Amino acid sequence: MDKVIEVKDVKTVFGTRVVHDGLNLCVNRGEIYGLLGPSGCGKTTLLREIVMLQEFHGGSIKILGDELNGISHSKAQKLRREWGVLFQAGALFSSLTIAQNIALPLVEYSDLSQKMINEIVEFKINLVGLKSADANLYPSQISGGMKKKSGLARALAMDPKLLFLDEPTSGLDPISARDFDSLILKLRDLLGLTIVMVSHDLQSIYDTLDRIAIIDNKKIAFEGTLDEVASAKSEFIQTFFSDLK
Amino acid sequence: MNNYALSISFIDNKLLLKFSGELSLYSITTLQKQLNTQNILKIKDIQIDLEEVCFIDTATAIFINNLLIKYEKLDIKVSVNLNSKDIKDTLELVKNQKLHSDKLPSPDKESFLYSVGKYIYIYYISLLSFLNFLGNLFTTKIYYLKSIKNIRFKEIAFEINESGVKALPIISLTSFLIGLVVAYQSSYQLKIYGANIFLVDMLGISILRELAPLITAIVIAGRSGSAFTAQIGAMKITEELDAMRTMGFDPYIFLVMPRILALMLVMPILIFVADMMGVLGGMLVASLDLQITPTLFIDRFNEVVAPKHFFIGILKGPFFAFLIATIGIYRGLMVKNDTQSIGFNTTKSVVESIFAVIICDAIFSIVFTNLGI
């Protein structure tokens, strides 16, 4: 299996606080990979480093074969079109409607006609389980769950190979959360996505993830499948999972 | 809330503390006072009776636990009588928690030198980050101007409307009033010398050269500078900026450059309007108060006010606009992930941009005077 993301010996320091020290992990093509760990262990920070929002202070991160250290502007731009990111609260552009939000990457990066773009937007809106009637609402007029779905639709607008989700089910009611999980599984099968997500939702972890990495004490405490976790000897991992339960 | 009681009594050298009723955090202070009146130094044996207590909250549990610890330290034998399981559980919970938890760290005391150093360091860092912002802006500008396709005309037009066209009424009104007031005040002085006609010279030069550009800049700093900070700051809090970055939309190209360019384009026009309105205000006073007819005013204006004053005023526009827009946007980008920092940065943005405009104006003044313009 080829590796989509390779993180090697990454070190992160905030002021005097060391967040990661010698962190390693790799994500294979086509899998749903989860970053887990106690609050404040730096899951979201790692995710932000992978999507080039934050600098790391040592080691290397390789995405789709490109090394992020000293990456050129054009390569970085190319990389950014190959992934989609869903932020915790959706991060929709508040001055644009949902449809305009989803259309934005298409308008900016492609030379498609407005008609074609509208069709793509309609497809994505329905794909993530929103109604076409909601398309012309502004982000301030819709619920948290709808914001997440719209954010996902926007992340999928350019048909990315890689999808990053930051706590996709947090703040959703259990039914919407399960819907979201099945949506993610469906998307992976339909579009052949590789998905990396940060999650605290145990049900969602068991339902969707192929492999997980548990971050603790600045390092990866465990990396592997969920079945392997059950047999892992480490006391921390066992308490972490029993805590989650 | 007052149905609690503590009775203190002696039974052959033994101190009996009998609590009863509902012990809640409202009762602690009273209980404490009551206990403090008791001299316990000579007592070797204390019995705490909680049998008649019907409820105890964690605060009182902590209080009683502390009592126990205190008595133990004084080598006093303590025994606790209780019969309710709930109370026992609460006490146990507090006791166990106390064993496990660390003390709250006391806030660091900062010496005077330390805080001065910290202050200076913070200023130094913010200066560096402003330079970093300018550098970023410069490299973006180069990239931006490489191809006409990169220029976002739609956003620029939107910003021109927002911070230019919509600002026209307030700028017209302010400069009209300023022209009126300046003319009125000076007409009073000029009348004394019978130098009425010189009002035109004075007004022409002061309004065209200094007042109109400054008034415009101050209104725009308060109006658009603060708006830029608040908009961009809010976008930062809602992660919209991060979302843009991950989608490969450089916020400098999408948000920063259009705003700066729009303001730089529109500022000279606003100053021109302010010029006209200011002179109009002066003209009104001149004709009402000094009997200088508008025709005479304009003739005189033509004669004595050289075009260079007008052009200097207009020339200041783009510079002021650049300062206001960059400071406003920079402050917006400095907003941290909390709502307080929006207010803080908006205030700073307005104060700093007005200050920067005045400094810039002073520099212009010196440069132009030395150049003999």
Side-chain angles (χ1 to χ4, degrees), chain B residues 88-319:
Chain B
K88 196 178 166 209
D89 285 348
T90 315
L91 282 174
E92 287 279 297
L93 174 77
V94 167
K95 199 174 163 189
N96 287 335
Q97 203 60 46
K98 177 124 189 164
L99 290 177
H100 291 158
S101 51
D102 327 322
K103 276 249 177 299
L104 291 178
S106 53
D108 297 334
K109 265 200 181 150
E110 291 177 356
S111 71
F112 175 71
L113 266 184
Y114 180 86
S115 38
V116 168
K118 199 168 133 189
Y119 226 70
I120 292 173
Y121 182 72
I122 289 170
Y123 266 91
Y124 170 69
I125 291 293
S126 67
L127 180 72
L128 282 191
S129 80
F130 187 65
L131 289 180
N132 179 31
F133 169 79
L134 284 183
N136 240 327
L137 197 68
F138 188 69
T139 52
T140 320
K141 210 170 214 165
I142 290 174
Y143 171 76
Y144 198 73
L145 298 175
K146 245 182 3 195
S147 152
I148 194 140
K149 246 177 61 192
N150 290 330
I151 298 176
R152 308 192 60 83
F153 294 104
K154 219 177 99 190
E155 275 83 355
I156 293 179
F158 178 80
E159 283 307 328
I160 285 180
N161 183 39
E162 278 301 308
S163 32
V165 178
K166 288 187 181 170
L168 276 176
I170 183 71
I171 285 176
S172 310
L173 183 65
T174 330
S175 50
F176 177 74
L177 290 176
I178 291 283
L180 205 93
V181 169
V182 170
Y184 190 71
Q185 290 297 332
S186 33
S187 73
Y188 180 74
Q189 307 291 333
L190 290 171
K191 261 194 266 181
I192 301 174
Y193 302 99
N196 294 10
I197 196 69
F198 287 103
L199 180 76
V200 183
D201 309 37
M202 206 201 83
L203 271 187
I205 294 173
S206 64
I207 288 181
L208 296 191
R209 198 172 165 130
E210 294 292 339
L211 284 177
L214 267 183
I215 295 296
T216 314
I218 288 169
V219 171
I220 289 293
R223 207 182 161 277
S224 303
S226 59
F228 291 170
T229 309
Q231 278 168 357
I232 291 182
M235 289 184 80
K236 192 160 179 195
I237 287 186
T238 54
E239 289 187 309
E240 282 175 51
L241 287 187
D242 287 344
M244 289 182 78
R245 286 201 181 98
T246 57
M247 290 161 86
F249 303 151
D250 189 346
Y252 280 84
I253 290 175
F254 276 68
L255 301 173
V256 179
M257 291 307 289
R259 282 179 167 77
I260 293 179
L261 281 186
L263 213 56
M264 284 174 80
L265 281 174
V266 89
M267 195 75 155
I269 301 169
L270 290 175
I271 292 178
F272 176 64
V273 173
D275 283 345
M276 289 199 303
M277 295 306 289
V279 172
L280 192 70
M283 202 146 65
L284 194 70
V285 171
S287 70
L288 292 180
D289 202 27
L290 297 177
Q291 287 79 45
I292 302 172
T293 60
T295 332
L296 182 59
F297 190 96
I298 288 173
D299 278 347
R300 174 77 184 171
F301 199 88
N302 237 339
E303 229 170 84
V304 294
V305 182
K308 68 176 184 188
H309 299 303
F310 169 74
F311 287 118
I312 286 174
I314 295 290
L315 179 78
K316 287 174 181 174
F319 289 90

Side-chain angles (χ1 to χ4, degrees), chain B residues 342-358:
Chain B
I342 287 198
F344 172 79
N345 278 297
T346 311
T347 314
K348 277 225 151 185
S349 141
V350 175
V351 172
E352 282 172 359
S353 49
I354 290 177
F355 182 67
V357 161
I358 289 172

Side-chain angles (χ1 to χ4, degrees), chain A residues 4-236:
Chain A
V4 181
I5 300 174
E6 269 185 282
V7 176
K8 268 195 191 133
D9 288 328
V10 161
K11 189 173 180 191
T12 313
V13 186
F14 287 135
T16 53
R17 205 163 62 88
V18 180
V19 180
H20 305 130
D21 191 6
L23 192 144
N24 293 290
L25 59 84
C26 71
V27 180
N28 300 319
R29 190 172 296 278
E31 70 184 0
I32 303 183
Y33 190 93
L35 290 173
L36 318 179
S39 304
C41 70
K43 303 177 292 284
T44 303
T45 306
L46 182 63
L47 200 66
R48 288 173 62 88
E49 286 168 354
I50 293 175
V51 297
M52 295 191 275
L53 282 177
Q54 208 163 315
E55 283 182 10
F56 45 94
H57 305 94
S60 71
I61 297 179
K62 225 179 190 179
I63 298 180
L64 299 164
D66 286 320
E67 172 63 52
L68 294 192
N69 271 331
I71 192 168
S72 70
H73 180 74
S74 56
K75 259 198 175 152
Q77 283 298 81
K78 190 174 147 278
L79 211 50
R80 287 188 180 114
R81 291 181 210 186
E82 289 178 11
W83 69 43
V85 184
L86 170 62
F87 288 85
Q88 244 183 67
L92 297 167
F93 302 126
S94 42
S95 56
L96 304 176
T97 63
I98 296 177
Q100 285 169 334
N101 260 291
I102 301 169
L104 189 66
L106 299 164
V107 174
E108 291 300 328
Y109 287 136
S110 71
D111 49 5
L112 296 170
S113 66
Q114 191 59 46
K115 192 165 159 276
M116 189 65 218
I117 288 177
N118 286 345
E119 258 174 62
I120 296 176
V121 169
E122 194 188 303
F123 168 73
K124 304 280 157 154
I125 282 184
N126 288 305
L127 182 72
V128 297
L130 287 169
K131 295 184 198 75
S132 303
D134 304 330
N136 291 322
L137 296 176
Y138 283 90
S140 55
Q141 299 170 313
I142 61 176
S143 72
M146 284 164 80
K147 274 183 199 162
K148 288 211 163 163
K149 284 179 181 169
S150 320
L152 184 64
R154 188 180 67 186
L156 291 170
M158 299 287 286
D159 283 328
K161 295 175 189 156
L162 238 176
L163 191 59
F164 295 98
L165 311 173
D166 191 358
E167 303 201 16
T169 54
S170 75
L172 294 185
D173 66 273
I175 297 168
S176 312
R178 296 297 78 79
D179 285 351
F180 209 94
D181 289 343
S182 55
L183 174 65
I184 287 167
L185 284 170
K186 190 172 91 185
L187 289 175
R188 194 261 304 263
D189 297 339
L190 280 178
L191 308 172
L193 291 170
T194 307
I195 300 172
V196 178
M197 67 161 129
V198 169
S199 184
H200 284 300
D201 181 346
L202 196 68
Q203 193 61 46
S204 150
I205 290 170
Y206 277 118
D207 285 353
T208 56
L209 298 183
D210 296 321
R211 285 202 318 135
I212 59 167
I214 300 174
I215 305 178
D216 181 53
N217 201 13
K218 302 162 197 167
K219 284 186 171 42
I220 296 288
F222 170 83
E223 188 184 19
T225 63
L226 280 165
D227 298 336
E228 287 163 8
V229 160
S231 57
K233 293 249 161 46
S234 156
E235 196 185 332
F236 167 74

